[in-house]
């Protein structure tokens, strides 16, 4: 019982279809206070749809959602008050200033006046917009708009902060600032649900990561656990000229190779003991009619996990 | 409504008032067009009819018209009475356009009335003087109706007493001419085409026309939030989803009312317009803004995007405005157009102002206001049903 109550978010068996398309298929996840949970998946994987259901924007076809112990539905105001949402698309009014944007949404969340004023200044400083607080948001740079977008989501002090690809289109500096503030919030005890298709972000921020593809969670765990699903293997990337798919198929026949996938002109292989297997590997590729122009051996990362699980690249 | 709706209302008004196009379309353009149109089109305020009466009858009832009604019109400044020799002279002067109109009371007019028989008071109208003709015909009809009523009473009395009292018939014309109802009827008829003065009519018409655009945001606001990307955030907030629409409708209502009131006052101060008794005007304005919201909501609910909605709504607003006669008073003899004004809230609005202004009685605004509100309700109901069906849950 104590365990159950501890979770800020419990989503179980979420399903959502748009016509014939099963956008979300049996997604379940829990997030504890202070934990950052990542949904990592390519375009169209169903991340935003999952989040929309969790935030109460969309009614699931099946499944249950509890936030802070309360059932989430599109009309559950108490549950919604515990959630801060940072939508994937900018959700700010360009004709209002940064401060006015924050104040408007703060009022919608019912913040008392004094607290609102205090939080306004706090958040403006966190998102680094104190100097520009009274300028029209429409005049901001892309990164500043993104930061304001995030600021609105965390203004009312939610227990669960949901960020849907908050760094898309942001310069490296702003991105770092954003990631820093998310980390900061998590250390303060916030539960964070973070979607991205940037592996590095997921690796850096998230305590646990779910790899999502075609509406399903295909693997879940810490970064270490996910990489361990590949085993103690090396990643060998062969740049080839010729039929990469045929080369990959040839490689996969070798006993030391657990998987080989073609990605444009690159064949990515998971190999037990790369040093020993490499000569055979090169021979197989040559036998398939392709020629090798580059070889790279490295430790596997989440990209490789994704490729291994789904047979395709995280980013297209 | 809850505080969420008020918060959204406050935000919307702030955004609206910051939008220069709102000021332009809600205030500057209507006033500007009023000035422009009043310069282009002649002012019919000082409608004056040049007319003659030919009394071929010489009886008491005819005299009631020639010596009772007509001098009253002259006194009111509506009629300049020209004396003509006979019916032929009247006819040729009307043909030449020297006279706008002529009334010809035929031989036996008084007797026929006294006997309760059918008889015609002939009205001649010069070509191109349809407005004057309408007024002249209205006056004749009003008199005929009045004496007809009295005549019927006399006939009944004759039937009961078995004879006609000549004295009674003699007094008939006098009686009819002195009827207060006839006087007011003539008054009303004399205002056809010029109910309010032309500038007031135009100012009110323009205000009515543009308020349909001013309230647009209240009904397409959800589509706009969707376009801005702010809709997910509003839906994620701990408020009832209905509060979003409620706040917007309320905002549009306020902005619509404010723009109309400002236009009424500004047109009065700047252009000397007068929309009639303020209470009736206020009632009509409230009714019209409600109708505007209903109509625009219905039209908007057929659209998928804010742009689409805007286009459809513009078409409907322009058609209803045109049909309702906001750009120019519709000629009184154009029967189809007259009916057309009845199917337009703009038309009812102008009629309502007209009626209450002519009579100086605000209660005359109530009927048209009810008709306008009915428009709003009839259109709002399907709009709400469609909107409900559209919603994601
Ligand atoms: N309202 C909708 N109507 C129809 N199909 C939809 C709708 N919303 C999403 N989809 C479809 O559902 C699938 C999942 O979309 P979703 O937006 O959840 O993906 P995502 O993982 O967030 O992708 P991205 O990384 O591109 O944001 C996609 O195929 C998308 O086309
Ligand atoms: Mg998405």
């Amino acid at each position: 019982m104590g365990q159950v109550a501890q979770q800020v978010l419990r989503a179980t068996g979420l399903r959502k279809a748009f016509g014939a398309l099963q956008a979300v298929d049996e997604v379940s996840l829990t997030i504890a206070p202070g934990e950052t949970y990542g949904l990592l998946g390519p375009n169209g994987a169903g991340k935003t749809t999952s989040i929309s259901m969790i935030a109460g924007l969309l009614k699931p076809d099946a499944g249950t959602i509890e936030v802070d112990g309360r059932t989430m539905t599109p009309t559950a105001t108490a549950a919604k008050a515990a959630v801060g949402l940072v939508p994937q698309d900018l959700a700010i009014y360009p004709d209002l200033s940064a401060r006015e944007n924050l104040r408007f949404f703060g009022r919608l969340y019912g913040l008392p006046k004094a607290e609102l004023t205090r939080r306004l200044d706090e958040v403006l400083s966190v998102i680094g917009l104190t100097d520009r607080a009274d300028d029209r948001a429409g005049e901001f740079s892309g990164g500043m708009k993104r930061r304001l977008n995030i600021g609105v989501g965390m203004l009312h002090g939610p227990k669960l902060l949901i960020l849907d690809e908050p760094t898309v289109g942001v310069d490296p500096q702003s991105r770092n600032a954003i990631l820093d503030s998310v980390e900061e919030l998590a250390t303060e005890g916030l539960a964070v649900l973070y979607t991205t298709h940037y592996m590095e972000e997921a690796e850096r921020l998230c305590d646990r990561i779910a790899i999502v593809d075609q509406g399903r969670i295909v693997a879940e765990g810490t970064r270490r656990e996910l990489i361990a699903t590949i085993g103690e293997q090396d990643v060998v990337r062969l740049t080839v000229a010729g039929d990469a798919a045929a080369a990959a198929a040839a490689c996969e026949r070798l006993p030391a190779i657990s998987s080989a996938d073609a990605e444009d002109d690159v064949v990515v292989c998971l190999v037990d003991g790369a040093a020993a297997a490499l000569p055979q590997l090169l021979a197989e590729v040559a036998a398939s009619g392709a020629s090798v122009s580059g070889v790279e051996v490295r430790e596997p990362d989440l990209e490789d996990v994704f490729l291994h699980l789904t047979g395709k690249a995280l980013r297209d | 409504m809850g505080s969420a709706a008020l918060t959204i209302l406050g935000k919307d008004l702030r955004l609206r008032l910051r939008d220069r196009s709102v000021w332009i379309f809600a205030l500057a353009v209507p006033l500007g067009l009023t000035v422009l149109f009043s310069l282009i089109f002649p002012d019919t305020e000082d409608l004056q009819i040049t007319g003659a009466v030919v009394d071929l009858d010489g009886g008491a009832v005819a005299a009631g018209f020639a010596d009772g009604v007509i001098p009253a019109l002259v006194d009111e400044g509506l009629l300049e009475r020209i004396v003509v020799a006979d019916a032929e002279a009247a006819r040729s002067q009307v043909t030449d356009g020297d006279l706008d109109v002529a009334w010809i009371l035929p031989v036996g007019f008084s007797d026929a009335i006294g006997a309760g028989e059918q008889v015609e008071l002939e009205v001649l109208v010069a070509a191109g003087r349809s407005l004057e003709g309408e007024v002249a015909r209205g006056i004749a009809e009003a008199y005929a109706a009045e004496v007809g009523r009295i005549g019927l009473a006399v006939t009944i009395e004759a039937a009961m007493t078995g004879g006609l009292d000549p004295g009674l018939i003699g007094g008939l014309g006098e009686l009819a001419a002195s009827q207060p109802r006839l006087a007011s009827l003539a008054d009303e008829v004399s205002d056809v085409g010029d109910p309010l003065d032309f500038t007031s009519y135009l100012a009110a018409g323009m205000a009515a026309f543009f308020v349909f655009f001013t309230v647009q945001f209240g009904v397409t606001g959800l589509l706009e939030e969707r376009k801005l990307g702010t809709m997910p955030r509003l839906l994620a907030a701990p408020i009832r989803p209905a509060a979003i629409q409620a706040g917007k409708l309320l905002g549009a209502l306020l902005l619509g009312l404010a723009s109309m009131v400002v236009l009424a006052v500004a047109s009065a101060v700047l252009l000397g317009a007068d929309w009639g008794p303020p209470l009736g005007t206020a009632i009509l304005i409230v009714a019209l803004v409600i109708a505007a919201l209903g109509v625009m909501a219905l039209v908007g609910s057929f659209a998928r995007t804010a742009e689409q909605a805007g286009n459809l709504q513009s078409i409907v607003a322009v058609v209803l405005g045109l049909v309702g006669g906001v750009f120019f008073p519709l000629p009184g003899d154009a029967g189809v157009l007259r009916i057309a004004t009845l199917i337009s809230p703009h038309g009812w609005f102008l009629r309502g102002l007209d009626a209450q202004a002519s009579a100086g009685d605000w209660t005359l605004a109530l009927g048209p206001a009810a008709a306008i509100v009915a428009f709003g309700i009839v259109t709002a109901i399907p709009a709400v049903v469609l909107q409900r069906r559209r919603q994601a849950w």
Side-chain angles (χ1 to χ4, degrees):
Chain A
M1 185 61 208
Q3 270 272 301
V4 171
Q6 236 179 32
Q7 305 292 345
V8 177
L9 172 66
R10 300 180 62 84
T12 317
L14 297 183
R15 292 171 61 85
K16 183 75 191 179
F18 297 111
L21 175 81
Q22 193 66 44
V24 172
D25 194 0
E26 291 295 330
V27 164
S28 301
L29 55 100
T30 60
I31 310 180
E35 189 180 26
T36 301
Y37 188 102
L39 286 178
L40 179 67
N43 292 138
K47 304 183 294 294
T48 300
T49 306
S50 301
I51 274 179
S52 299
M53 292 188 280
I54 290 168
L57 310 187
L58 204 58
K59 198 183 164 82
D61 296 339
T64 57
I65 301 155
E66 262 182 40
V67 177
D68 199 26
R70 295 187 170 93
T71 301
M72 176 63 83
T73 67
T75 52
T77 51
K80 284 184 174 183
V83 177
L85 176 65
V86 177
Q88 177 170 7
D89 299 318
L90 285 176
I92 51 176
Y93 297 97
D95 289 328
L96 294 183
S97 70
R99 193 189 298 279
E100 286 168 337
N101 267 293
L102 289 166
R103 188 179 291 130
F104 168 64
F105 287 109
R107 287 209 183 117
L108 278 192
Y109 279 86
L111 286 186
K113 206 167 180 165
E115 194 185 342
L116 181 57
T117 313
R118 183 176 58 77
R119 284 292 295 159
L120 272 177
D121 291 333
E122 275 178 25
V123 168
L124 280 168
S125 126
V126 168
I127 58 179
L129 289 177
T130 306
D131 294 346
R132 303 291 301 271
D134 297 311
D135 292 349
R136 276 183 64 240
E139 291 161 4
F140 287 176
S141 73
M144 291 162 73
K145 286 179 190 160
R146 284 273 155 204
R147 269 141 59 194
L148 178 57
N149 198 36
I150 294 168
V152 174
M154 62 197 209
L155 178 76
H156 63 284
K159 297 201 164 149
L160 171 66
L161 180 62
I162 303 178
L163 299 125
D164 196 357
E165 308 204 29
T167 59
V168 169
V170 169
D171 65 276
Q173 225 177 344
S174 286
R175 170 190 284 214
N176 254 324
I178 289 169
L179 297 183
D180 284 347
S181 49
V182 172
E183 277 175 330
E184 169 91 24
L185 288 168
T187 48
E188 286 168 12
L190 227 75
V192 178
L193 176 54
Y194 193 100
T195 84
T196 181
H197 56 257
Y198 294 125
M199 176 203 67
E200 318 84 63
E201 287 186 4
E203 289 193 330
R204 170 174 163 186
L205 283 179
C206 301
D207 302 306
R208 278 189 300 140
I209 298 164
I211 292 182
V212 199
D213 186 43
Q214 295 184 353
R216 294 182 154 274
I217 293 183
V218 293
E220 187 201 58
T222 63
R223 171 178 179 272
R224 204 178 276 275
E225 285 165 356
L226 286 173
I227 290 173
T229 61
I230 303 181
E232 294 285 299
Q233 303 184 89
D234 298 314
V235 176
V236 177
R237 293 168 57 90
L238 304 171
T239 310
V240 300
D243 189 346
C251 294
E252 209 156 27
R253 284 196 290 272
L254 290 173
I257 311 290
S258 64
S259 80
D261 296 284
E263 211 185 297
D264 298 331
D265 62 344
V266 176
V267 177
V268 183
C269 306
L270 285 178
V271 185
D272 283 317
L278 203 52
Q280 271 180 298
L281 205 50
L282 294 173
E284 281 298 331
V285 173
S288 79
S291 62
V292 178
S293 63
V295 180
E296 185 199 341
V297 180
R298 57 173 173 79
E299 303 241 294
D301 58 21
L302 290 176
E303 290 266 18
D304 302 311
V305 177
F306 188 82
L307 185 65
H308 175 62
L309 290 171
T310 67
K312 58 190 185 201
L314 195 49
R315 268 173 282 174
D316 19 40
Chain B
M1 258 299 120
S3 65
L6 293 181
T7 304
I8 288 167
L9 170 120
K11 183 270 293 176
D12 282 341
L13 287 184
R14 188 183 286 253
L15 283 177
R16 285 293 118 184
L17 298 183
R18 231 167 249 192
D19 181 350
R20 206 176 310 146
S21 72
V22 170
W23 292 97
I24 292 174
F25 282 102
L27 300 177
V29 172
L31 275 179
L33 284 180
T34 303
V35 173
L36 187 70
F37 282 141
S38 60
L39 291 178
I40 294 174
F41 296 106
D43 194 334
T44 53
E45 181 179 6
D46 308 315
L47 178 72
Q48 233 223 357
I49 301 171
T50 306
V53 183
V54 181
D55 182 1
L56 301 175
D57 179 52
V61 181
F65 185 75
D67 306 330
V69 173
I70 293 298
L73 295 173
V74 174
D75 287 348
E76 264 189 48
L78 181 69
L79 180 69
E80 189 194 345
R81 186 177 187 174
I82 306 290
V83 179
V84 294
D86 53 26
E88 273 324 298
R91 222 172 279 277
S92 76
Q93 288 194 41
V94 166
T95 309
D96 296 344
D98 295 338
L99 282 176
D100 295 327
V101 300
W103 293 273
I104 299 183
L105 298 148
V107 177
F109 184 77
S110 298
D111 287 345
I113 297 278
E117 287 166 8
Q118 198 70 26
V119 66
E120 280 194 352
L121 198 171
E122 195 178 355
V123 181
L124 306 175
V125 181
R129 311 281 160 78
S130 58
L131 197 60
E132 290 84 350
E134 192 63 26
V135 174
R137 218 170 283 132
I139 291 166
E141 273 164 17
Y143 185 73
E146 203 55 39
V147 294
R149 231 158 44 83
I150 297 165
L152 186 64
V154 172
T155 313
I156 290 168
E157 168 145 352
M160 291 194 320
T161 57
L164 273 177
D165 177 353
L168 199 58
I169 301 173
L172 194 57
E174 223 170 288
L175 208 58
S178 64
Q179 282 294 308
R181 205 180 79 85
L182 175 58
S184 80
L185 211 58
D187 216 21
E188 194 180 309
V189 166
S190 76
D191 274 332
V192 166
D194 188 18
L196 309 158
D197 68 77
F198 192 58
T199 306
S200 308
Y201 182 97
L202 272 177
M206 288 298 124
F209 180 70
F210 281 99
V211 82
F212 275 66
F213 295 90
T214 306
V215 302
Q216 241 177 350
F217 85 94
V219 294
T220 55
L222 293 186
L223 294 173
E224 254 157 46
E225 299 274 5
R226 202 153 279 157
K227 189 172 103 188
L228 270 180
T230 42
M231 198 62 193
R233 194 154 248 158
L234 294 179
L235 291 176
I239 58 174
R240 291 183 312 114
I244 306 169
Q245 183 65 77
K248 293 193 173 295
L249 285 177
L250 211 55
L253 187 71
L254 287 182
L255 207 59
L257 291 177
S259 72
M260 299 258 337
V261 169
V262 169
L263 280 174
V265 172
S267 66
V269 172
L270 302 177
L271 307 174
D274 178 6
W275 294 21
L279 184 55
T281 305
I283 292 169
L284 284 166
I285 286 178
V286 172
L288 187 71
V289 176
I290 290 172
L293 280 172
V295 169
M296 294 314 234
L298 179 59
V299 177
S301 56
F302 289 106
R304 298 217 150 265
T305 65
E307 281 80 13
Q308 238 178 42
N311 291 341
L312 284 175
Q313 288 172 332
S314 299
I315 293 170
V316 171
V318 168
V319 168
L320 286 178
L322 272 176
V323 163
V326 300
F327 293 106
F328 40 82
L330 290 173
D333 51 1
V336 177
L337 289 179
R338 252 323 189 198
I339 292 167
T341 63
L342 293 177
I343 58 161
S344 153
H346 304 71
W348 278 108
F349 178 72
L350 292 169
R351 281 171 163 246
L353 283 181
D354 162 2
Q356 66 144 5
S358 328
D361 176 3
W362 68 270
T363 58
L364 292 182
L366 291 176
I372 299 170
V373 170
F375 256 95
I377 293 171
V378 165
T379 48
I381 290 170
V384 168
V385 171
L386 283 170
Q387 201 86 33
R388 283 257 162 95
R389 206 172 293 168
R390 183 71 70 79
Q391 233 143 47
W393 53 82

